Amino acid sequence: MSGLTRARKAAAVVAATAAAAATALISAPSAVAAPQPIVGGTTTTTSAYPFMMQITDASQDQFCGGTLVSPTKVVTAAHCMVGETTSSVRVVGGRTYLNGTNGTVARVSRIWIHPDYTRVTRGDDVAVLTLSTSMPYTPAPYVSSSDTSVYAAGTTTRVLGWGTTSSGGSSSNQLRTATVPTVSDASCRGSYGSRYVQSDMVCAGYSSGGVDTCQGDSGGPLLIGGRLAGITSWGDGCAAAGYPGVYTRLTTFSDAVTAQVRG
Ligand code: ARG
């Protein structure tokens, strides 16, 4: 059921190597002792983060996150929307628990996927959903194209989601959050080589690992100073030392997002 639903989208992650998984086990014992989605994070609620949306299938099984940026527009990852149609997707707001039935369910009238998107390691991992009905929740502000300084290395960011406890693990019933520092472009290129597309991506995580987003968190927000600044996109494994999470660098796409939000 939902595990398989999520596994479908988790397939978009670059396969964790056995070596990366082994590194995580050695370098992040606390995360292994108490595995938690948004590895290393804490539970939270959609009351605390009202713009935090579940992206679900027609059965309301969550497979990605999204961020409400206007009453009828949700920013998510392009890779979350591959193979989806306006009839296959729902957006659920105000629902802290995956097994909840509360909150607001909206159908989707339009899916915009960045036209250049091919795969997560080539960038352009952004999509905007237009809802058929308005969400009664306060949207999140997002960065503008000139805000490029927000990603300065070491800046504290906040990530949110219902993702898995480990690559191939199961999801958290309750929304979780964690804070992770941004990583310099040079360092992230050192981790991922040419798969790190500096213009389109930004990395966040501790060099020792232990705190990260994971499968099922994709599409959800990376917040800097309370504004949407990134979209959970990919990584090798989860919370592995030397392999930070990779997020869509939203300043590069904020004008394109704004065109969709107004359109
Ligand atoms: N691609 C994953 C998803 O679809 C997100 C993976 C994030 N990985 C990481 N190590 N930060 O949910």
Side-chain angles (χ1 to χ4, degrees):
M1 50 136 282
S2 53
L4 284 176
T5 304
R6 279 180 284 281
R8 188 158 54 96
K9 292 306 173 185
V13 78
V14 174
T17 62
T23 303
L25 290 170
I26 293 160
S27 64
S30 60
V32 171
Q36 293 174 335
I38 300 272
V39 180
T42 59
T43 55
T44 187
T45 65
T46 55
S47 300
Y49 298 98
F51 49 77
M52 182 69 205
M53 301 284 123
Q54 294 183 19
I55 309 292
T56 78
D57 62 17
S59 303
Q60 296 177 30
D61 276 337
Q62 183 266 354
F63 60 83
C64 272
T67 305
L68 190 73
V69 296
S70 91
T72 59
K73 302 285 179 173
V74 172
V75 171
T76 188
H79 82 259
C80 288
M81 290 298 120
V82 170
E84 302 293 345
T85 66
T86 52
S87 47
S88 69
V89 173
R90 303 287 183 275
V91 175
V92 182
R95 187 179 291 177
T96 296
Y97 296 92
L98 292 183
N99 69 353
T101 55
N102 62 328
T104 305
V105 181
R107 296 182 69 106
V108 170
S109 60
R110 203 162 76 90
I111 299 173
W112 175 84
I113 298 175
H114 193 290
D116 296 334
Y117 175 77
T118 53
R119 53 193 300 166
V120 291
T121 51
R122 299 245 172 107
D124 301 310
D125 195 11
V126 55
V128 178
L129 311 184
T130 301
L131 308 181
S132 304
T133 52
S134 294
M135 283 285 171
Y137 307 108
T138 305
Y142 59 94
V143 291
S144 65
S145 57
S146 59
D147 290 327
T148 53
S149 64
V150 297
Y151 305 111
T155 300
T156 298
T157 75
R158 177 172 297 281
V159 290
L160 290 156
W162 288 270
T164 62
T165 62
S166 59
S167 295
S170 51
S171 296
S172 173
N173 188 38
Q174 184 170 356
L175 178 63
R176 299 191 70 92
T177 186
T179 57
V180 277
T182 56
V183 169
S184 72
D185 291 321
S187 174
C188 202
R189 183 164 298 281
S191 297
Y192 292 118
S194 62
R195 292 185 295 160
Y196 179 63
V197 180
Q198 193 173 313
S199 59
D200 289 16
M201 304 174 190
V202 62
C203 290
Y206 296 96
S207 54
S208 56
V211 185
D212 199 4
T213 47
C214 204
Q215 278 70 46
D217 291 323
S218 277
L222 176 139
L223 305 169
I224 298 178
R227 285 187 301 166
L228 181 66
I231 303 165
T232 301
S233 182
W234 66 280
D236 278 354
C238 298
Y243 292 93
V246 188
Y247 299 83
T248 304
R249 186 179 289 251
L250 196 61
T251 52
T252 298
F253 302 103
S254 54
D255 289 347
V257 166
T258 295
Q260 297 307 316
V261 169
R262 295 193 177 148

